[in-house]
Amino acid sequence: MCRWLAYSGTPIQLDELLYKPRYSLIDQSQHARMGVETTNGDGFGVGWYADGTSEPVLFRGVGPAWGDVNLREIAGAVSSPLFLAHIRASTGTPVQQTNCHPFRYGSWLWVHNGAIRSFALLKRDLMLAIDPGLYPSVAGSTDSEVMFHLALTFGLRDDPVAAVERMVGFVESVGRRHEVPAAVQMTVSTTDGDRVWAFRYSSERRSRTLYFSTAVSALHELYPENATLRRLSDETRIIVSEPLGELVGAWQPVPESSYGVVQKGADILGDFHPRLP
Amino acid sequence: MCRWLAYSGTPIQLDELLYKPRYSLIDQSQHARMGVETTNGDGFGVGWYADGTSEPVLFRGVGPAWGDVNLREIAGAVSSPLFLAHIRASTGTPVQQTNCHPFRYGSWLWVHNGAIRSFALLKRDLMLAIDPGLYPSVAGSTDSEVMFHLALTFGLRDDPVAAVERMVGFVESVGRRHEVPAAVQMTVSTTDGDRVWAFRYSSERRSRTLYFSTAVSALHELYPENATLRRLSDETRIIVSEPLGELVGAWQPVPESSYGVVQKGADILGDFHPRLP
Amino acid sequence: MCRWLAYSGTPIQLDELLYKPRYSLIDQSQHARMGVETTNGDGFGVGWYADGTSEPVLFRGVGPAWGDVNLREIAGAVSSPLFLAHIRASTGTPVQQTNCHPFRYGSWLWVHNGAIRSFALLKRDLMLAIDPGLYPSVAGSTDSEVMFHLALTFGLRDDPVAAVERMVGFVESVGRRHEVPAAVQMTVSTTDGDRVWAFRYSSERRSRTLYFSTAVSALHELYPENATLRRLSDETRIIVSEPLGELVGAWQPVPESSYGVVQKGADILGDFHPRLP
Amino acid sequence: MCRWLAYSGTPIQLDELLYKPRYSLIDQSQHARMGVETTNGDGFGVGWYADGTSEPVLFRGVGPAWGDVNLREIAGAVSSPLFLAHIRASTGTPVQQTNCHPFRYGSWLWVHNGAIRSFALLKRDLMLAIDPGLYPSVAGSTDSEVMFHLALTFGLRDDPVAAVERMVGFVESVGRRHEVPAAVQMTVSTTDGDRVWAFRYSSERRSRTLYFSTAVSALHELYPENATLRRLSDETRIIVSEPLGELVGAWQPVPESSYGVVQKGADILGDFHPRLP
């Protein structure tokens, strides 16, 4: 069980979302309210894009996010128009930097909350399906990173929604072959530095919570006095495992078995259907 | 807010108390039920005496106890007739090994749950009162370690109860001088490898919880079938921040403002009165 | 490039070999004299057998051995008749606990100095050859751990020398298939808690240094006054990447392309021949 | 023994100096050529000023700099016109983040290479002399941080050279009182984000090495084809424990017992004279 956050929009300092809100991501590292576990203390990470560069920067640590002095410094020093952040609660794999999210491949980032059921049993078959050219870039031992590399194998860079649908369909089929039912539980976000995709799905249709922020223009009308909101462009969007505050009307649940795309112009919300690769 | 445990009696493997009970100390690192915080993830430590040696061995780490692979190994490999264990929730001082309990001086160990109020303000005066010969052995930056060295200064090795009463009286008097009321909140355990002392006190008389195990002979009568109990000598005693299980009758609260001594022959329970050194 | 040490004989405290000799293993972590690198600061580990138990205990850390306070405590507290210790200099894989030696499988331990050349390129094929039942126990990402699991796959528990010869032959053949000549560089030690095996081999026949201690009985004659020697049984044997001191006559080089077995009765020294599995 | 670097001038990416030169600071963490020790693996830190802000950002870690993945990321992402960087070789105090340089107070940074002799013996008297209002900001346990706070006490923010001269004079006088001759060994750099001061001094007049870069205008004439040099303003200056490369004429030794000031307009080089506060 983990918690994550994706931000796209007006460049802001990372600590505006990681530390300052009432139920900030860092607060959730000790006091998650909607998760299976209240504590997410097995590492953290943030990946951000600077304006005008294509390679995101990664900062990841193995201790609890709430006590990491460097994270606080970096979050107070870095502004970015697009970043993913993650706090980890291990589901069994070791607490080490290579197991911390976001995972990165070229200009792509990936964060995951959930698990592949009986991952130890399925791992060998899943690793085998990863493109041999991508295989050496699997640095850690988590199910999350394997999902990322399977999605890359199945075309993430060309058609992200289809690639993630294929990845999930494949993992479920490997699960069935090993008599592991309902193999996938996930909320995922991935980005190429331009658009952001988010997915909410689980084989048993009881997925972890996921929320996206209401359109800024609508919030402006609701809260004309709110100074923070006034600074944000209409294109700004936040996606989170659980709401960052108690502003009524600010957060919408992502429906079960669906995906969203945050992009220039109208965002997209669609149904998610696992399929075989 | 921290949690700690002191054991004295029949030699047992550390994991019997650190991992195996329903509400083991390691479980309390993620799910404390009686503390101010549910999470004690800012480091841990265990100090134990091997039979026939006077210097205790220390093993301390800065990560959360629940995920520490080495602690699990050591706890499964070491048996001891007397040990102290501690899990830390920082009250502001850095997460570093020198701030992890137990603290050690010669053959003595010390663990603390609680805080000196406005410690940053009082610290200079408190450090000044430490015996200059003891001053260099203050390795970290916690209030707990300062309390230990003040108690050593005031005679811990000769008369532990009086020394801790003087330490508390002194800290309270320094507090008053700086207009810090109710400066002390503490449960403390200390040992020389032979006897174990435990203290429950707070200036405002609302001390953190502390429990000691019922006499093993009485528990034998209550639970004649319990195999674990049968292995323990009548002298065996456990003192804990919160009970390790739900065995009815197994745990007695230490009264407010009192101390206990676990030793060969009858144990002692007495009133605790801060006094000026 | 790493350094390691294997001890079998009269039970001794670990620090007798890890800290006290003039060129102790811990000293080699900062000042190795015979290695490719002088610094071995990317983690360490020690695995030991307590008398009368079959499962070895592991203690491993990611920081430099020279500064690890817990290692010093444990080494001063633990006595053992059989242990392996290792200090790591990464050849590219991450600095994390799962990449620290010794590796353990059941009652077996394994340490390695050297590398598989172009490991990133060969890894997928090597992982595929690991017995699927053993696959989930590969926890880290090193070439060393893959070599261990290949040796287990090829019969380490039944015939260690043949299994290691098959492992090396197989790695070399996979290397050739990928146009990687001279794929293996290694000194290895492995043990089941009873006997200790050591191997010195490299595909290009320029293997890292390896030494074994002269028979204690012979050393007794050379140094009748030496108190340490008098405490050691005639069966005691130490194998090391580089000598621990300057006692003339105390250390013998293991010949190129050979192996040794330390056991009750006469030890064995034989030629090492890679073979295909 | 440590190594440090101070940069002031045309904004550059941190990795230009930390990683890319032939004998970069990170290279010196494993292979220092002019130090007492070749290894500086007990932590590291970098503090930088962003354009137009007065508070520097700190990034510090306890592992060896050579293997720190986050440092490499940050160094590749951050550009700054003024930064200090440091790699640590402990002279006895614990390896922990609060003991890593640079130390920060408000807009000031401080790095130190060297030691106060018999620091454990002198520490209490030195701590006592720190302004009580500054006392709580001493977070770690090093001699270096005590020197910084003594210099702050003696007027660093008003007259840096005089304050450091008083600090050194005071430490030497405390040393004499405790029969510790030649108490100070140091190269120090400090900055307020505008000017940079550097000091080379030791009580015994055998100070650690210190170099400053030749005026960029002079180097332009020597190396008209050098592209890196062309990007740097005439005001750019680097001060280092040991030269970063082998460019003949690029580095000048700072004389024994002297100080330098890097600032807008002509830089200053002067004699250093300890004095009593």
Side-chain angles (χ1 to χ4, degrees):
Chain A
M1 223 283 312
C2 311
R3 307 273 89 179
W4 58 257
L5 173 158
Y7 177 88
S8 172
T10 304
I12 60 167
Q13 217 164 265
L14 303 187
D15 60 2
E16 291 286 336
L17 290 184
L18 299 190
Y19 287 93
K20 294 186 182 166
R22 171 120 170 70
Y23 302 117
S24 74
L25 195 72
I26 302 306
D27 178 70
Q28 293 174 31
S29 69
Q30 267 182 306
H31 309 288
R33 297 174 302 150
M34 297 181 166
V36 178
E37 283 280 357
T38 55
T39 307
N40 294 279
D42 297 327
F44 64 86
V46 55
W48 68 90
Y49 298 84
D51 260 335
T53 64
S54 59
E55 281 270 331
V57 185
L58 274 191
F59 178 68
R60 304 189 292 180
V62 298
W66 68 75
D68 197 88
V69 177
N70 285 325
L71 178 61
R72 193 173 285 269
E73 292 279 323
I74 300 296
V78 169
S79 279
S80 171
L82 202 170
F83 59 94
L84 304 188
H86 187 276
I87 50 176
R88 185 168 181 247
S90 168
T91 53
T93 44
V95 177
Q96 57 193 24
Q97 203 168 13
T98 52
N99 286 352
C100 292
H101 311 220
F103 299 101
R104 177 176 60 190
Y105 186 84
S107 62
W108 287 77
L109 292 177
W110 176 277
V111 290
H112 169 229
N113 169 24
I116 293 178
R117 192 186 295 237
S118 300
F119 177 58
L121 182 63
L122 311 187
K123 184 175 181 183
R124 188 172 181 275
D125 284 0
L126 299 176
M127 287 293 288
L128 259 176
I130 291 173
D131 184 299
L134 293 166
Y135 188 98
S137 82
V138 179
S141 57
T142 61
D143 47 4
S144 308
E145 194 186 16
V146 170
M147 290 165 85
F148 181 30
H149 283 79
L150 285 171
L152 285 163
T153 298
F154 298 146
L156 183 71
R157 286 161 288 181
D158 297 319
D159 184 345
V161 174
V164 174
E165 288 180 337
R166 284 185 198 110
M167 178 272 285
V168 169
F170 176 72
V171 174
E172 290 181 334
S173 75
V174 169
R176 281 190 298 271
R177 204 188 311 151
H178 288 272
E179 302 186 351
V180 175
V184 174
Q185 171 66 260
M186 73 176 207
T187 68
V188 157
S189 183
T190 188
T191 174
D192 61 355
D194 180 23
R195 288 183 289 173
V196 176
W197 291 262
F199 301 87
R200 181 173 183 231
Y201 175 79
S202 59
S203 308
E204 52 188 1
R205 304 297 189 275
R206 286 188 301 190
S207 302
R208 305 288 170 76
T209 56
L210 192 63
Y211 294 84
F212 61 98
S213 59
T214 302
V216 171
S217 55
L219 288 173
H220 279 162
E221 283 180 35
L222 274 170
Y223 303 98
E225 309 298 317
N226 188 303
T228 307
L229 287 171
R230 228 173 304 154
R231 284 173 30 219
L232 301 180
S233 72
D234 280 1
E235 298 270 29
T236 297
R237 188 77 79 177
I238 313 174
I239 309 170
V240 287
S241 296
E242 52 186 82
L244 302 179
E246 287 167 326
L247 207 59
V248 174
W251 301 99
Q252 323 273 338
V254 174
E256 178 66 57
S257 303
S258 61
Y259 71 89
V261 189
V262 177
Q263 58 187 356
K264 284 187 187 63
D267 293 343
I268 296 172
L269 187 61
D271 291 341
F272 182 86
H273 301 288
R275 43 174 142 168
L276 287 178
Chain B
M1 222 282 312
C2 310
R3 307 273 87 180
W4 58 258
L5 173 159
Y7 177 88
S8 172
T10 304
I12 61 166
Q13 216 164 266
L14 302 187
D15 61 1
E16 291 285 336
L17 290 184
L18 299 189
Y19 288 92
K20 294 188 182 165
R22 170 122 170 68
Y23 302 117
S24 75
L25 195 71
I26 302 306
D27 178 70
Q28 293 174 31
S29 69
Q30 267 182 304
H31 309 288
R33 297 173 303 149
M34 297 181 167
V36 178
E37 283 280 356
T38 54
T39 307
N40 294 278
D42 297 328
F44 64 86
V46 56
W48 69 91
Y49 298 83
D51 261 335
T53 65
S54 59
E55 282 268 332
V57 185
L58 274 190
F59 178 69
R60 304 189 293 180
V62 297
W66 69 75
D68 196 90
V69 177
N70 285 325
L71 178 60
R72 194 173 283 269
E73 291 279 323
I74 300 296
V78 169
S79 280
S80 170
L82 202 169
F83 59 93
L84 303 188
H86 186 275
I87 51 176
R88 183 167 183 247
S90 168
T91 54
T93 44
V95 177
Q96 55 193 27
Q97 203 169 14
T98 53
N99 286 353
C100 291
H101 310 221
F103 300 101
R104 177 176 62 190
Y105 186 83
S107 63
W108 288 76
L109 292 177
W110 177 277
V111 290
H112 169 229
N113 169 24
I116 293 178
R117 192 186 296 238
S118 299
F119 177 58
L121 182 63
L122 310 187
K123 185 175 180 183
R124 188 172 180 275
D125 284 0
L126 299 177
M127 288 293 288
L128 259 176
I130 291 173
D131 184 299
L134 293 166
Y135 188 97
S137 83
V138 179
S141 55
T142 61
D143 47 4
S144 308
E145 193 186 16
V146 170
M147 291 165 85
F148 181 30
H149 284 80
L150 285 171
L152 285 163
T153 298
F154 297 146
L156 184 71
R157 287 160 288 181
D158 297 320
D159 185 345
V161 173
V164 174
E165 288 180 337
R166 283 185 199 110
M167 177 272 285
V168 169
F170 177 72
V171 174
E172 289 181 334
S173 75
V174 170
R176 282 190 297 272
R177 205 188 310 152
H178 288 272
E179 301 185 351
V180 175
V184 174
Q185 171 65 261
M186 72 176 208
T187 67
V188 156
S189 183
T190 187
T191 173
D192 61 356
D194 181 22
R195 287 183 292 173
V196 177
W197 291 262
F199 301 87
R200 181 174 183 230
Y201 175 79
S202 59
S203 308
E204 52 187 0
R205 304 296 189 275
R206 286 188 300 189
S207 302
R208 305 288 168 77
T209 56
L210 193 64
Y211 294 84
F212 62 98
S213 59
T214 303
V216 171
S217 56
L219 287 173
H220 279 161
E221 282 180 36
L222 274 171
Y223 302 97
E225 309 298 317
N226 187 305
T228 307
L229 287 171
R230 228 173 304 154
R231 283 171 31 217
L232 301 179
S233 73
D234 281 0
E235 299 270 29
T236 297
R237 187 78 79 177
I238 313 174
I239 309 171
V240 287
S241 297
E242 51 186 82
L244 303 180
E246 289 168 324
L247 207 59
V248 174
W251 302 98
Q252 323 272 338
V254 174
E256 178 66 57
S257 303
S258 62
Y259 71 90
V261 190
V262 176
Q263 56 187 357
K264 284 187 186 61
D267 293 343
I268 295 172
L269 188 62
D271 291 342
F272 183 86
H273 301 288
R275 43 174 141 168
L276 288 177
Chain C
M1 221 282 312
C2 311
R3 306 274 89 180
W4 59 256
L5 173 159
Y7 178 87
S8 172
T10 304
I12 60 166
Q13 216 165 265
L14 302 187
D15 61 2
E16 291 287 334
L17 290 184
L18 299 189
Y19 287 93
K20 294 186 182 166
R22 172 121 171 68
Y23 302 118
S24 74
L25 195 70
I26 302 306
D27 179 70
Q28 292 174 32
S29 68
Q30 267 182 304
H31 309 288
R33 297 173 303 150
M34 296 181 166
V36 178
E37 282 281 357
T38 56
T39 308
N40 294 278
D42 297 327
F44 64 85
V46 56
W48 69 90
Y49 298 82
D51 260 334
T53 65
S54 59
E55 282 268 333
V57 185
L58 275 191
F59 178 68
R60 304 189 292 180
V62 298
W66 68 75
D68 196 90
V69 177
N70 285 324
L71 178 61
R72 194 173 285 268
E73 292 279 323
I74 299 296
V78 168
S79 280
S80 171
L82 201 170
F83 59 94
L84 303 188
H86 187 275
I87 51 175
R88 184 168 182 247
S90 169
T91 52
T93 45
V95 177
Q96 56 193 27
Q97 204 169 12
T98 52
N99 285 353
C100 292
H101 311 221
F103 300 100
R104 176 176 61 191
Y105 186 83
S107 63
W108 287 76
L109 291 176
W110 176 277
V111 290
H112 168 229
N113 169 23
I116 294 178
R117 192 186 297 237
S118 300
F119 178 57
L121 182 63
L122 310 188
K123 184 175 180 182
R124 186 171 181 276
D125 285 0
L126 300 177
M127 287 293 289
L128 261 176
I130 291 174
D131 184 299
L134 293 165
Y135 188 97
S137 82
V138 179
S141 56
T142 60
D143 47 3
S144 308
E145 193 186 17
V146 170
M147 291 164 85
F148 181 28
H149 283 80
L150 285 171
L152 285 163
T153 299
F154 298 145
L156 184 71
R157 287 161 288 181
D158 297 320
D159 184 345
V161 173
V164 174
E165 288 180 336
R166 285 184 197 111
M167 178 272 285
V168 169
F170 176 72
V171 174
E172 290 180 334
S173 74
V174 170
R176 281 189 298 272
R177 204 188 310 152
H178 289 271
E179 301 185 350
V180 175
V184 175
Q185 172 65 261
M186 73 176 208
T187 67
V188 157
S189 183
T190 187
T191 174
D192 61 356
D194 180 24
R195 288 183 290 173
V196 176
W197 291 262
F199 301 87
R200 181 174 184 231
Y201 175 79
S202 59
S203 307
E204 53 189 359
R205 303 297 188 275
R206 286 188 301 189
S207 303
R208 305 289 169 76
T209 57
L210 192 64
Y211 293 84
F212 61 98
S213 59
T214 302
V216 171
S217 55
L219 288 173
H220 279 162
E221 282 180 36
L222 275 170
Y223 303 97
E225 309 298 318
N226 188 304
T228 307
L229 287 172
R230 230 174 301 153
R231 285 172 28 218
L232 300 179
S233 73
D234 281 1
E235 299 270 30
T236 297
R237 188 77 78 177
I238 313 174
I239 309 171
V240 287
S241 296
E242 52 186 81
L244 303 179
E246 288 168 326
L247 207 58
V248 174
W251 302 98
Q252 323 272 337
V254 175
E256 179 65 57
S257 304
S258 62
Y259 71 89
V261 189
V262 176
Q263 57 186 357
K264 284 187 186 63
D267 293 343
I268 296 171
L269 188 61
D271 292 341
F272 182 86
H273 301 288
R275 43 174 142 168
L276 287 178
Chain D
M1 221 282 312
C2 310
R3 308 274 87 181
W4 58 257
L5 173 158
Y7 177 87
S8 171
T10 303
I12 60 166
Q13 214 165 267
L14 303 186
D15 61 1
E16 291 286 336
L17 290 184
L18 299 189
Y19 287 93
K20 293 186 182 166
R22 170 123 170 66
Y23 302 117
S24 74
L25 195 71
I26 302 306
D27 179 70
Q28 293 175 30
S29 69
Q30 267 183 304
H31 309 288
R33 297 173 303 150
M34 295 181 168
V36 178
E37 283 280 356
T38 54
T39 308
N40 295 278
D42 297 327
F44 64 86
V46 56
W48 68 90
Y49 298 83
D51 260 335
T53 65
S54 59
E55 282 268 332
V57 185
L58 274 190
F59 178 68
R60 305 190 293 181
V62 298
W66 68 74
D68 196 90
V69 177
N70 285 324
L71 177 61
R72 194 173 283 269
E73 292 278 323
I74 299 296
V78 169
S79 278
S80 170
L82 203 170
F83 59 94
L84 304 188
H86 187 274
I87 51 176
R88 184 167 182 246
S90 168
T91 54
T93 44
V95 177
Q96 56 193 26
Q97 203 169 13
T98 53
N99 285 353
C100 291
H101 310 221
F103 300 101
R104 177 176 62 190
Y105 185 84
S107 63
W108 287 76
L109 292 176
W110 177 276
V111 290
H112 169 228
N113 169 22
I116 294 178
R117 191 186 297 237
S118 299
F119 177 57
L121 182 62
L122 310 187
K123 185 176 180 183
R124 188 173 180 274
D125 284 0
L126 300 177
M127 287 293 289
L128 259 175
I130 291 173
D131 184 299
L134 293 167
Y135 188 97
S137 82
V138 178
S141 56
T142 60
D143 47 4
S144 308
E145 194 186 15
V146 170
M147 291 165 85
F148 181 30
H149 283 79
L150 285 171
L152 285 163
T153 298
F154 299 145
L156 184 70
R157 287 161 288 182
D158 297 320
D159 185 345
V161 174
V164 174
E165 288 180 337
R166 285 186 197 109
M167 177 273 285
V168 169
F170 176 72
V171 173
E172 289 181 334
S173 75
V174 170
R176 282 190 297 271
R177 205 187 311 151
H178 288 271
E179 301 184 352
V180 175
V184 174
Q185 171 66 260
M186 72 177 207
T187 66
V188 156
S189 183
T190 187
T191 174
D192 60 356
D194 180 23
R195 287 183 291 173
V196 177
W197 291 262
F199 302 87
R200 181 173 184 232
Y201 175 78
S202 58
S203 309
E204 54 188 0
R205 304 297 188 276
R206 286 186 302 187
S207 303
R208 305 289 169 77
T209 56
L210 192 63
Y211 295 84
F212 61 99
S213 59
T214 303
V216 171
S217 55
L219 288 173
H220 280 161
E221 283 180 35
L222 275 170
Y223 302 97
E225 309 298 317
N226 188 307
T228 306
L229 288 172
R230 231 173 301 154
R231 283 173 30 218
L232 301 180
S233 72
D234 280 1
E235 297 271 28
T236 297
R237 188 77 79 178
I238 313 174
I239 310 170
V240 287
S241 296
E242 52 186 81
L244 303 179
E246 288 168 325
L247 208 58
V248 174
W251 301 99
Q252 322 272 338
V254 174
E256 179 65 59
S257 304
S258 61
Y259 70 90
V261 190
V262 177
Q263 57 187 355
K264 284 187 185 63
D267 293 343
I268 296 171
L269 188 61
D271 290 341
F272 183 85
H273 300 288
R275 42 173 141 169
L276 286 178

